[in-house]
Structures are given as structure tokens and as C-alpha cells.
Amino acid sequence: MVWFWIATTIPVVLLALAGMLGGLWAVAALVYMGTLVHVMDRLVRGAAAKAGADGEFPSGLRLSLLLGVLHFPLMAIGVAALAGITDLSHGARICVFIAFGLFFGQVSNANAHELIHKPARLPRLIGMWVYISLLFGHHTSAHTKVHHVWVATNKDPNSARDGESFYHFWPRAWLGSFRAGLRAETDMRARAKGRAKGMHPYVAYVAGGALMLALAAIYAGPKGAIAYVGLASYSTMQLLLSDYVQHYGLRRAKRANGKPEPVGPQHSWNAPQLYTSALMLNAPRHSDHHMTPTRDYPALRLDRHEMPILPHSLPLMATLALWPRMWRRVMDPRVAKLRATRH
């Protein structure tokens, strides 16, 4: 469990200092998020997967709650820095934008994902508001009620198809998940009939996002609103890049009754690198998460013999996905090989 605390809390401190002071702190935050984590993957290679029945530690909820709460002041610091309130240089602002965007995309998103899967109301509420603050609140519904049900089928907007570029997947997944989540929530409310339903969650998603944007504008003016939308868009793009990479080209076979086979280890791409996995709260151990969505992130398992393994860490593969021709050159043969072994 110590690796999760080290990997995720160091950038929180660096980002806070970078946003308020700039200078070398801004460079340090960018180097950590953009380079050092990949160096650490090599330095601590081989230390992963040495877990007992409960993973590296029985529970990671305290760290998740802390990261969820800290996300909001970090967003305020990032907006203030980019809007000029903390008087950073132009170079420092560039470093801050990239570093904060990487953190929100790789850590805040991964942590919110953990929180919305918790059975208790408070963690789920914090996770939902993290997504709302990233102008992606509908992911709270679409992920749990659509993606986990229809993953690796054409009914899931967030499962990338074989040969599909990220630039085609990106708008299709964003709009498709919004609509599919809305439909799933509305259908569930209709089935509730006379029982108490409360407010439709999409009201909170849309109104909450508008409120966050208004607060950014009040707090830091028009530049703050632009900075806020930029950070939210950058982080959301990374979430969709993760979805794209982790399910690219993988499909569940149809059974005789026309329904897809149960979700198995072969339906997600995984990455074993220790430090990036710690930074992303074991999100790269994706197959086990889909098979056991309620399993706490420190206890997620990785089986190299049963689960498809990416050639590099998840952040590096997400970067590769931005170059479709190179992405297909690397991944399409791997997809074809997996299909051949199943037939």
C-alpha cells in the first residue's frame, strides 16, 4: 500500500507548490508526471504482483477519500495559476497546465472511478463530484450502468473497435456514453414505478458542471473559465484514452441465445508496471476490475497467462494512441494473435 501513497501524494505537494510559486516547482511537477513515473517503472520493475489474498493492503479507501477531497483545492490552484492570479511566468503556466492536466487525467479520474464503485454513499458522492468538476459527470452513470454491462460489445460506446482511431472513438464515446447513461438512468427510474425516485442524476451532472464553470469565472474571471474548461477537457481526453487503450479490438463472443459471453480476463488490456499502476490506483489491472468491480484497488490481480498485456505502461500506450498509424502497427497484430488463440 505504501507505493500508492508515495506515487499519488508526492505530485499533490508538487502541484500545489507549482501553482502557487511557479519556477522550478512547475518544472518539478511536470518532470514527475511526465518522466519520473516512467523512470520509476524501470527502477522498481519486478516488485509488482507480490500480493497476498487481500492485495498489497486490505483497503485503500482512506487514500481514495483523501485524494477525492484534495482534488477540489488543486483544481482551484490550477485555475488560479493559469488565469494569472498567482503571477506565474508564461513558461511556468505551460508546465502547470500539462502537469495538472496529467494529474487530473491519470489520478483524479482513476480515483473517482474507484469511489463511484464503493457501496457507501459518501465515497460515491465524492467520486461523482470529481467527475462533475471535470465536466464529465455523466460518466458516473454511464460507467457503472452501461460500460460494465456491455463492455467489449458494440452496445458499449466506450469499447473501441478494431481498426478505429482514437480521433473517431473520442467524440463517439463521449456523446454515446452521455446518451446511453441517460437512457439507462431514465429506464431505471421508470421501472421504479411508485417508489421514491428523487432528482434525476443528470440534473446534477449538467447543473453541477454549469455551477463549477460559473464558480471558476467568478473566482478567476474569463481567463479562469477558459483555464477550467481546458483542464477539464484535457483530463477527460485522458480518461477516454484509457478506455480506448484498455478495450481496443477486444470483443465478447455471442452465445447460442444471442447474448454475449460473461466478461472474462481476455476482454481488457492490462499493464504490469508498478509505479504507474500505483499512481493510477491499479487502473491498469483492468481485467480483474471488470470481473470483480467491487474489489478494492490494492487487491486487484494480474495474471500474465490469462490477461492480455500491453507492450508498455498505460500512459505510454495512451500517448502512442495519438498516432493512429503507429498505434495500429503495434496493436493490430496483437489483437489478431489473441483472436487466433481463441478459435
Side-chain angles (χ1 to χ4, degrees):
M1 187 65 192
V2 66
W3 285 113
F4 296 107
W5 282 89
I6 291 172
T8 57
T9 57
I10 287 176
V12 170
V13 175
L14 290 177
L15 288 167
L17 292 169
M20 292 185 290
L21 302 177
L24 291 178
W25 290 113
V27 176
L30 178 58
V31 169
Y32 183 93
M33 291 302 305
T35 304
L36 184 61
V37 291
H38 305 294
V39 174
M40 289 297 293
D41 275 339
R42 293 181 176 275
L43 292 178
V44 297
R45 186 169 48 187
K50 293 180 180 178
D54 293 324
E56 285 88 351
F57 198 77
S59 174
L61 182 58
R62 282 186 296 176
L63 177 58
S64 275
L65 291 174
L66 176 64
L67 291 173
V69 171
L70 290 177
H71 165 83
F72 300 99
L74 274 182
M75 178 63 81
I77 292 172
V79 169
L82 294 173
I85 292 177
T86 56
D87 199 27
L88 302 189
S89 68
H90 291 300
R93 290 188 207 183
I94 292 172
C95 292
V96 161
F97 176 78
I98 298 173
F100 272 76
L102 288 172
F103 182 86
F104 294 148
Q106 296 176 20
V107 183
S108 288
N109 273 323
N111 187 54
H113 165 261
E114 279 298 312
L115 291 170
I116 64 172
H117 277 289
K118 300 300 181 190
R121 188 171 185 272
L122 179 61
R124 285 189 285 109
L125 198 61
I126 294 174
M128 181 187 77
W129 275 100
V130 170
Y131 279 132
I132 288 174
S133 76
L134 298 175
L135 304 180
F136 205 53
H138 71 268
H139 191 69
T140 308
S141 294
H143 180 78
T144 54
K145 295 178 172 62
V146 179
H147 181 61
H148 270 270
V149 177
W150 299 110
V151 64
T153 74
N154 287 339
K155 289 186 177 182
D156 175 34
N158 290 68
S159 290
R161 297 159 187 168
D162 190 12
E164 183 179 31
S165 77
F166 173 70
Y167 300 103
H168 182 269
F169 169 83
W170 185 0
R172 181 180 70 77
W174 203 106
L175 293 171
S177 63
F178 185 94
R179 293 168 180 160
L182 176 60
R183 187 165 52 249
E185 288 285 2
T186 302
D187 290 347
M188 188 175 73
R189 289 167 65 81
R191 290 193 299 270
K193 296 181 180 178
R195 287 173 286 173
K197 301 175 183 178
M199 183 179 68
H200 197 297
Y202 267 65
V203 174
Y205 304 155
V206 176
L211 173 63
M212 290 288 188
L213 181 57
L215 289 174
I218 294 169
Y219 171 56
K223 290 182 179 179
I226 294 171
Y228 175 68
V229 171
L231 285 172
S233 300
Y234 185 23
S235 66
T236 299
M237 181 192 77
Q238 291 173 78
L239 184 153
L240 292 173
L241 271 168
S242 291
D243 278 347
Y244 176 82
V245 170
Q246 289 173 312
H247 298 291
Y248 177 78
L250 304 179
R251 282 294 180 269
R252 288 152 67 187
K254 283 190 177 181
R255 296 184 293 187
N257 61 5
K259 295 181 179 181
E261 65 180 329
V263 177
Q266 72 275 23
H267 297 129
S268 301
W269 291 99
N270 303 268
Q273 288 78 12
L274 174 64
Y275 207 77
T276 49
S277 291
L279 181 73
M280 301 180 74
L281 305 182
N282 264 345
R285 296 187 178 189
H286 208 57
S287 289
D288 194 32
H289 168 68
H290 270 281
M291 291 187 293
T292 52
T294 58
R295 180 171 286 161
D296 205 11
Y297 66 87
L300 289 173
R301 299 162 188 171
L302 185 67
D303 186 340
R304 294 171 182 265
H305 301 291
E306 295 290 331
M307 300 173 180
I309 303 296
L310 292 166
H312 304 289
S313 69
L314 181 55
L316 288 179
M317 293 305 295
T319 303
L320 182 65
L322 298 174
W323 282 266
R325 183 175 297 180
M326 185 63 67
W327 168 262
R328 292 197 61 185
R329 186 180 300 173
V330 171
M331 291 302 297
D332 283 6
R334 288 173 165 82
V335 172
K337 183 177 179 180
L338 283 174
R339 287 179 178 168
T341 59
R342 294 196 66 191
H343 296 291

